[in-house]
Amino acid sequence: MRKDNSEFITGFLSESGSFVRNKDYFAFAELDDIACWVIARGLDNDQEVESAELAAKSVLGYFLQKPSISRYRIRRYLQEAHRVLQAESHRVRLKASLTVIVTDYARVRYGVAGNTRLYQFRNGRLQWQSKDQSLAQQMVDGEEIAEDALDQHEERHNLLSYLGTPNEFHPFISKKLPLYDGDVFLLATPGLWEKVNPAEMQDGLQEAKDPETWIDTLEDVLLSKQEHVVQNYTAAAIFANKIFKTDPQKKWRIIKRVALILLVLALAGGGALLFKMKEAERIADAATGMFEHETAGDAFIAEGDYPKALKAYSDARNAANIVKNKIQAALLVKKIRITQLIVDGDTAVKDEQYAKALEKYDKALKEMKGRDDFNEPEILEKKEKTQSYVLVMQWKKEGDLLFEGQDYAGAEAYYQKARKLALETSFVTGEKELRTKLDEVASKKTGIDKEKKTLDGDKLEKQGDESYAAQDFEGAIQSYTMAQEIYQEIGVLEKVLAMERKVTKAEEKLNPPAVPPAGQPPVQGTSAASQPPAVPVNQTAPVNQTAPVNQTAPVNQTAPVNQTAPINQTAPVNQTVPVNPVAPTYQPVPAHQVVPTNQAVPPAETAPATQPVQPPQANPPATANPTQEEAAKTP
């Protein structure tokens, strides 16, 4: 157990800076005999897939499947992550810079693709730093620019190789480097190393006693620059306080053992022995792989990645069958069965088969009872969430039945309750369906309300028509106005305008305009009711008719009934009799005054104070006074 006999402490931070999304990612895994750290920086603008996270997890996944510090394996880790980014590039081409470190707790090897960096400090001093795969680094190597200018050169982000490149992928893999007690490593993305130079890193390390303190100091230095825009920045520090000490004689013992085997083979000279040796080597590799795959499966279980755990356990079982380890194979079969149940439950949830998912989770919980190598609380949470999904769909179904029965209020209550539970349990698909159902209910309720109000408006309009027909114009106006308000509320514009016309017509009937008498224009500024009565047009007055002495000519005085009209007296033509005219005052007519022919009587004559005002009679009969009758008999 190399890990138990060494001390490696890791601390890190990752911040988005001035941006909403953080496109950096850091992850690591420490196994008993080997460890791996990965830092990545996304270079694309995809809004759904985080390329840095995808690449880092891919590298760690392949490392856990086949952990090794060999150059070949590390190159394979990077190549597999490169292929994953290419395979997932659906909307845009996914790109990422990545640096990986692998150690057996005694030596270290690293790989770089892009411009994420690794720094090593020994005894408080910078020992070395990784090289970027950029045009600026190429210019430094060719001595075209100074090394100090690299971090700020305009070509520092012009990468020659990176994960997801459409060209040939050529990552850099270092040789094995020995470790010493007290060595310190720093992984950094461009957001940090562009603003914090190696000298500032070294100064911060002098006062730091642990990785967290050093990382916090580096962040303070970065933020103290007070840049207008702060890029995403990630830093991870690894303190190798104690490394694993190997037996110096072990190497020679291995060499002697191999030499002895070769000597035996040479002496035996038989192919059978060589075959047995190869078979023994294959069994030994299978035994090693059995434990490695099982360890990887346990790690995937801890991360909640059950499909990968299932594959790792299957590989371990195959290896156990090769070495004929029946006990280990039986244990692995148990793990495979539990993992398969969980995977089947997750698949059923994705396929919206929630009853089936509950059944699988129940069986998995029963199988893992009393075991500590599975995360039982996580499976219980999956089960409870699935039960919530079932309840949401049940309430939705009940709401659908009420909706079909046109009980929209009842359906809305069920939909609201189901949607609230869907939001609480992050049931995205169910919440979307319920939101659509609530929109349909709202549409139905709006249509019913509009129909009801339309009926109310039509009823008021009909009442207005009946009031108008009964000459109750005030009632008609009131009904029309109320109907107009309802039509205005529901947006029926043609009805609003129709009510406006009906109100106007009723108001004209209620307050008719005064019509002036024929032949006489209305006096300016005076109402028609106050105008004096007009003298009949074309009425022929008797010639040389003498008015009686001291006789006052009454105006609008009612003539005696059955009085004989004068002979040859022309009746007034088109004479308009005013309705209820205001009684004018009377003016005495002087004696012996001759009234000219066709002369109109002056309006507004004042009557003597002693003469009583007679009320006007509507439509008086055409009569002649005695004086006019005598004048008519005289030649």
Side-chain angles (χ1 to χ4, degrees):
M1 292 292 192
R2 290 172 175 254
K3 181 180 179 182
D4 295 339
N5 293 283
S6 59
E7 184 182 356
F8 283 68
I9 304 175
T10 304
F12 70 96
L13 64 83
S14 183
E15 299 293 340
S16 60
S18 303
F19 300 87
V20 176
R21 298 177 61 206
N22 187 358
K23 299 185 73 63
D24 293 350
Y25 195 81
F26 170 75
F28 68 101
E30 294 179 339
L31 304 180
D32 291 336
D33 296 318
I34 196 168
C36 178
W37 293 264
V38 184
I39 191 170
R41 164 68 176 165
L43 305 176
D44 54 77
N45 295 318
D46 195 293
Q47 299 297 317
E48 296 184 12
V49 179
E50 296 294 347
S51 53
E53 179 180 358
L54 184 61
K57 286 184 175 180
S58 176
V59 169
L60 271 183
Y62 286 108
F63 165 78
L64 291 173
Q65 289 182 14
K66 297 182 178 180
S68 174
I69 196 175
S70 70
R71 176 175 291 179
Y72 169 77
R73 283 296 175 196
I74 293 176
R75 188 182 301 277
R76 285 295 303 272
Y77 302 155
L78 295 176
Q79 288 174 342
E80 291 296 336
H82 169 64
R83 281 195 285 270
V84 167
L85 289 188
Q86 287 183 324
E88 294 296 326
S89 297
H90 303 303
R91 290 168 297 277
V92 299
R93 183 161 56 87
L94 300 180
K95 303 176 289 184
S97 291
L98 186 143
T99 298
V100 57
I101 312 175
V102 181
T103 180
D104 60 359
Y105 301 104
R107 298 161 298 174
V108 68
R109 193 192 297 272
Y110 70 91
V112 177
N115 61 352
T116 48
R117 288 186 182 176
L118 171 64
Y119 299 83
Q120 183 189 25
F121 297 84
R122 181 172 293 164
N123 298 323
R125 297 289 180 182
L126 178 64
Q127 184 78 4
W128 51 262
Q129 72 179 55
S130 62
K131 290 186 176 183
D132 301 339
Q133 290 188 306
S134 66
L135 181 59
Q137 181 69 59
Q138 191 179 69
M139 295 170 71
V140 171
D141 295 341
E143 299 182 352
E144 298 180 31
I145 60 173
E147 187 172 357
D148 295 342
L150 173 63
D151 292 356
Q152 303 300 322
H153 196 273
E154 61 182 2
E155 299 294 345
R156 64 187 182 277
H157 296 302
N158 188 352
L159 303 183
L160 304 179
S161 182
Y162 53 87
L163 297 176
T165 177
N167 305 319
E168 292 186 7
F169 178 59
H170 298 291
F172 170 79
I173 310 298
S174 74
K175 62 181 181 180
K176 284 183 183 178
L177 303 171
L179 291 176
Y180 296 90
D181 291 346
D183 281 354
V184 175
F185 293 92
L186 176 68
L187 287 162
T189 57
L192 184 90
W193 60 252
E194 285 180 344
K195 303 303 177 184
V196 182
N197 59 50
E200 292 170 327
M201 297 176 186
Q202 188 170 287
D203 291 341
L205 183 59
Q206 299 295 329
E207 304 295 331
K209 296 181 179 180
D210 52 64
E212 289 79 7
T213 305
W214 188 32
I215 292 298
D216 291 341
T217 302
L218 296 181
E219 184 181 29
D220 292 340
V221 173
L222 169 65
L223 298 179
S224 67
K225 304 298 178 69
Q226 296 183 353
E227 297 290 335
H228 181 66
V229 176
V230 179
Q231 300 293 332
N232 299 159
Y233 59 91
T234 299
I238 306 163
F239 278 33
N241 296 332
K242 179 185 176 182
I243 67 168
F244 179 74
K245 301 298 191 297
T246 59
D247 183 3
Q249 300 299 323
K250 183 178 179 181
K251 182 178 180 180
W252 293 108
R253 287 198 299 268
I254 294 174
I255 293 175
K256 290 178 181 179
R257 185 178 300 174
V258 171
L260 181 60
I261 292 173
L262 291 176
L263 179 62
V264 171
L265 289 175
L267 294 174
L273 184 59
L274 180 61
F275 173 77
K276 288 182 178 180
M277 290 295 296
K278 289 184 177 181
E279 180 66 16
E281 183 180 357
R282 187 176 72 88
I283 293 174
D285 289 341
T288 303
M290 178 182 66
F291 291 107
E292 289 179 350
H293 289 310
E294 184 177 7
T295 302
D298 293 341
F300 285 128
I301 289 293
E303 295 175 1
D305 193 342
Y306 295 101
K308 288 184 179 179
L310 181 62
K311 183 179 184 305
Y313 287 148
S314 298
D315 293 340
R317 181 193 57 186
N318 295 335
N321 291 331
I322 292 174
V323 299
K324 299 180 180 180
N325 189 336
K326 296 181 179 180
I327 297 176
Q328 190 66 25
L331 293 174
L332 287 167
V333 167
K334 182 76 171 178
K335 287 187 175 182
I336 290 172
R337 185 166 60 250
I338 297 173
T339 308
Q340 185 67 61
L341 287 170
I342 298 172
V343 171
D344 291 344
D346 293 344
T347 303
V349 169
K350 290 181 180 179
D351 295 339
E352 299 183 7
Q353 299 176 359
Y354 305 116
K356 181 180 178 181
L358 282 176
E359 179 185 353
K360 298 295 183 181
Y361 291 146
D362 283 335
K363 288 183 178 180
L365 288 168
K366 186 177 179 180
E367 292 278 349
M368 70 175 66
K369 201 70 176 178
R371 300 176 64 102
D372 56 359
D373 50 355
F374 283 88
N375 191 348
E376 185 175 353
E378 182 182 2
I379 308 307
L380 282 171
E381 183 180 354
K382 287 176 177 286
K383 177 184 175 182
E384 292 172 358
K385 184 175 286 190
T386 307
Q387 287 174 336
S388 299
Y389 292 175
V390 171
L391 188 56
V392 167
M393 299 310 294
Q394 181 181 345
W395 286 344
K396 176 182 173 293
K397 185 176 180 181
E398 293 177 1
D400 291 343
L401 292 175
L402 292 173
F403 185 87
E404 292 175 1
Q406 298 184 359
D407 182 2
Y408 302 119
E412 184 179 24
Y414 272 105
Y415 291 151
Q416 289 285 11
K417 183 168 60 172
R419 183 170 181 259
K420 181 181 179 182
L421 182 57
L423 289 171
E424 291 174 353
T425 55
S426 302
F427 187 12
V428 178
T429 304
E431 192 276 334
K432 183 178 180 181
E433 293 180 5
L434 288 164
R435 191 167 63 246
T436 302
K437 288 293 184 180
L438 285 169
D439 291 341
E440 292 178 4
V441 169
S443 177
K444 289 291 185 180
K445 291 177 68 176
T446 301
I448 291 173
D449 183 62
K450 184 173 182 180
E451 291 178 2
K452 182 178 179 301
K453 289 184 176 181
T454 301
L455 291 175
D456 293 342
D458 293 344
K459 183 178 179 181
L460 287 169
E461 182 182 0
K462 185 177 179 181
Q463 290 177 359
D465 293 341
E466 292 174 354
S467 298
Y468 186 89
Q471 297 187 1
D472 180 8
F473 302 120
E474 290 184 358
I477 291 172
Q478 183 178 2
S479 298
Y480 291 150
T481 304
M482 292 171 65
Q484 186 182 35
E485 292 175 356
I486 293 176
Y487 291 141
Q488 183 74 37
E489 183 180 351
I490 61 178
V492 184
L493 182 59
E494 62 274 12
K495 284 288 189 178
V496 173
L497 298 176
M499 293 305 99
E500 185 68 28
R501 290 192 293 270
K502 289 190 176 186
V503 167
T504 302
K505 186 176 179 181
E507 287 177 345
E508 289 176 354
K509 289 293 185 180
L510 184 63
N511 300 306
V515 180
Q520 180 179 348
V523 180
Q524 196 74 303
T526 308
S527 64
S530 62
Q531 295 295 323
V535 176
V537 181
N538 298 326
Q539 183 174 357
T540 306
V543 181
N544 298 327
Q545 183 176 357
T546 304
V549 179
N550 297 329
Q551 184 176 355
T552 303
V555 180
N556 296 329
Q557 186 173 356
T558 304
V561 183
N562 297 327
Q563 187 171 357
T564 304
I567 300 174
N568 299 326
Q569 184 175 357
T570 305
V573 181
N574 297 328
Q575 182 175 0
T576 302
V577 180
V579 180
N580 297 328
V582 179
T585 56
Y586 294 93
Q587 178 71 30
V589 180
H592 305 291
Q593 182 176 355
V594 179
V595 180
T597 306
N598 297 332
Q599 182 175 347
V601 179
E605 291 181 324
T606 305
T610 58
Q611 180 69 28
V613 178
Q614 297 293 334
Q617 298 292 332
N619 300 325
T623 58
N625 58 42
T627 306
Q628 290 175 330
E629 186 176 357
E630 288 296 330
K633 294 178 180 181
T634 305

